[in-house]
């Protein structure tokens, strides 16, 4: 039977610590501030951004939101990002994904100044993560690593499988596990024999957006199972990529959905904003 990796509790502890750090920064005249940009009215994004706003408020981080209409041009978006880059009172800039198809999201991420890129999506940060330099690490993979560390889960020399190759989660997750000395395999929609590959893994990280995809009979006895999925079923219930009830008896550790990776993502975002603000102090 698995032990639950309690992301909700760990995120709460991290946020308490960050709140103290924010108070100390304010005493030194630095008021950490995050700007979030949303284009269009994606319902899921609205929920994510609301959570981020609430978390900032609770931690003492100033938060502002730019809500752009679906038809906003790429040029206008880039201009806004550039203005925020130049605004000294802003420490973190986050462009919520997805954006409408007429906007090149990679171009937009590239426009966010690397030192304010608290999502870690600018290629400068992506590159620094790859070569093991200090950088802003994408929040979800970073949150997964913090959870593994909190529970003293050995990663060195372990077989880790990352399911999913998105720029937001899968790819930086691969890099994070490599940096933790795991032997990493990545599976994606074109992978054949996924079941055989997953069966060999000591650590399974699922980020594919397929509800209840990972079943108990797919994993090795005692595997660590990390569920990054957030899927809404027709009945409104939120489930992960892992069939929790089925996998729980066979895994050694498992993250619940909700209450596992999700709260960690938000905590790591706050942590990155505080880091950006502290870097300012060093200048
Ligand atoms: N859309 C879904 N997850 C994320 C995230 O972590 N950051 C941003 N910017 N957009 C997202």
């Amino acid at each position: 039977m698995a032990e639950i990796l309690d992301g909700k509790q760990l995120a709460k502890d991290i946020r308490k610590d960050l709140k103290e750090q924010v108070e100390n920064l304010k005493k030194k005249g630095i008021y950490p501030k995050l700007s979030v940009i949303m284009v269009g009215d994606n319902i899921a994004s609205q929920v994510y951004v609301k959570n981020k706003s609430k978390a900032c408020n609770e931690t003492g981080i100033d938060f502002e939101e730019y809500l752009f209409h679906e038809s906003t041009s790429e040029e206008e978006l880039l201009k806004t990002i550039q203005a925020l880059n130049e605004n000294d009172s802003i420490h973190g800039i986050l462009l919520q994904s997805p954006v409408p198809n007429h906007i090149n999201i990679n171009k937009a991420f590239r426009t966010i100044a690397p030192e304010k890129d608290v999502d870690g999506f600018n290629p400068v940060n992506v590159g620094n993560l790859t070569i093991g330099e200090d950088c802003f690490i994408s929040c979800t993979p970073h949150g997964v690593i913090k959870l593994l560390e909190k529970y003293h889960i050995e990663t060195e020399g372990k077989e880790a499988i990352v399911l999913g190759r998105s720029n937001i989660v899968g790819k930086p997750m691969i890099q994070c596990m490599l940096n933790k000395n795991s032997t990493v395999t990545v599976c994606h929609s074109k992978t054949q024999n996924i079941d055989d590959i997953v069966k060999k893994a000591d650590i399974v990280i699922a980020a594919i957006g397929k509800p209840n995809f990972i079943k108990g009979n797919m994993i090795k006895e005692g595997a660590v199972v990390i569920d990054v999925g957030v899927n809404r079923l027709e009945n409104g219930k939120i489930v992960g990529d892992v069939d929790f009830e089925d996998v729980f008896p066979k895994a050694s550790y498992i993250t619940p959905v909700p209450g596992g990776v999700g709260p960690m993502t938000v905590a790591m975002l706050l942590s990155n904003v505080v880091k950006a603000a502290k870097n300012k102090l060093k200048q």
Side-chain angles (χ1 to χ4, degrees):
M1 227 162 50
E3 183 176 344
I4 304 252
L5 298 171
D6 189 347
K8 197 171 167 188
Q9 183 59 47
L10 177 56
K12 200 169 155 193
D13 296 345
I14 291 171
R15 281 162 63 161
K16 185 162 171 265
D17 179 53
L18 288 170
K19 193 171 176 184
E20 282 172 25
Q21 294 184 44
V22 169
E23 278 161 17
N24 285 332
L25 278 166
K26 286 182 177 173
K27 283 181 197 151
K28 292 172 184 156
I30 295 208
Y31 290 74
K33 183 168 179 179
L34 172 67
S35 294
V36 170
I37 306 169
M38 240 195 317
V39 189
D41 47 13
N42 183 291
I43 306 274
S45 289
Q46 287 171 3
V47 175
Y48 289 140
V49 170
K50 200 168 162 199
N51 283 341
K52 290 169 187 177
S53 157
K54 192 163 164 260
C56 281
N57 287 335
E58 285 169 13
T59 316
I61 295 172
D62 291 337
F63 180 93
E64 69 173 10
E65 225 173 313
Y66 290 82
L67 303 176
F68 285 112
H69 189 264
E70 182 96 34
S71 63
T72 303
S73 69
E74 184 179 283
E75 192 188 356
E76 193 177 344
L77 173 65
L78 298 187
K79 266 191 194 156
T80 303
I81 293 174
Q82 277 152 0
L84 294 171
N85 284 343
E86 283 159 24
N87 183 337
D88 282 343
S89 71
I90 310 279
H91 303 93
I93 304 170
L94 183 153
L95 171 63
Q96 187 67 29
S97 134
V99 294
N101 286 337
H102 66 272
I103 292 172
N104 178 340
I105 196 157
N106 286 337
K107 193 170 174 187
F109 285 147
R110 207 161 51 232
T111 305
I112 297 175
E115 66 275 14
K116 296 190 180 187
D117 172 36
V118 287
D119 248 339
F121 295 158
N122 181 303
V124 170
N125 283 311
V126 176
N128 278 331
L129 177 64
T130 305
I131 62 172
E133 288 286 318
D134 181 50
C135 63
F136 288 113
I137 304 173
S138 169
C139 302
T140 300
H142 197 189
V144 170
I145 296 297
K146 289 283 175 197
L147 255 183
L148 293 173
E149 286 175 351
K150 173 72 186 179
Y151 286 83
H152 305 290
I153 292 169
E154 183 65 82
T155 51
E156 187 161 311
K158 299 294 177 191
E159 294 278 347
I161 303 292
V162 177
L163 291 121
R165 54 172 163 176
S166 70
N167 289 341
I168 286 181
V169 180
K171 285 181 196 158
M173 193 72 247
I174 296 163
Q175 212 52 63
C176 285
M177 293 309 287
L178 265 182
N179 291 349
K180 295 291 286 178
N181 294 323
S182 292
T183 302
V184 188
T185 304
V186 58
C187 295
H188 48 77
S189 55
K190 301 286 187 268
T191 301
Q192 294 179 2
N193 307 325
I194 281 198
D195 287 25
D196 294 345
I197 299 169
V198 172
K199 196 85 188 199
K200 292 194 186 117
D202 302 305
I203 302 170
V204 178
I205 303 172
I208 46 173
K210 287 192 179 174
N212 297 324
F213 178 80
I214 303 283
K215 304 288 180 191
N217 63 11
M218 287 170 72
I219 67 156
K220 180 158 109 180
E221 185 83 43
V224 176
V225 181
I226 307 288
D227 191 350
V228 180
V230 183
N231 310 292
R232 187 181 290 271
L233 300 181
E234 272 178 17
N235 63 12
K237 194 179 172 211
I238 300 285
V239 298
D241 293 347
V242 176
D243 186 334
F244 185 90
E245 303 299 332
D246 204 43
V247 170
F248 180 79
K250 212 169 161 193
S252 58
Y253 292 92
I254 188 167
T255 61
V257 176
V261 175
M264 291 302 297
T265 297
V266 179
M268 290 304 101
L269 172 66
L270 302 173
S271 166
N272 279 349
V273 177
V274 170
K275 178 179 165 127
K278 278 187 177 166
N279 286 345
K280 192 88 202 253
L281 201 60
K282 285 185 204 155
Q283 283 172 5

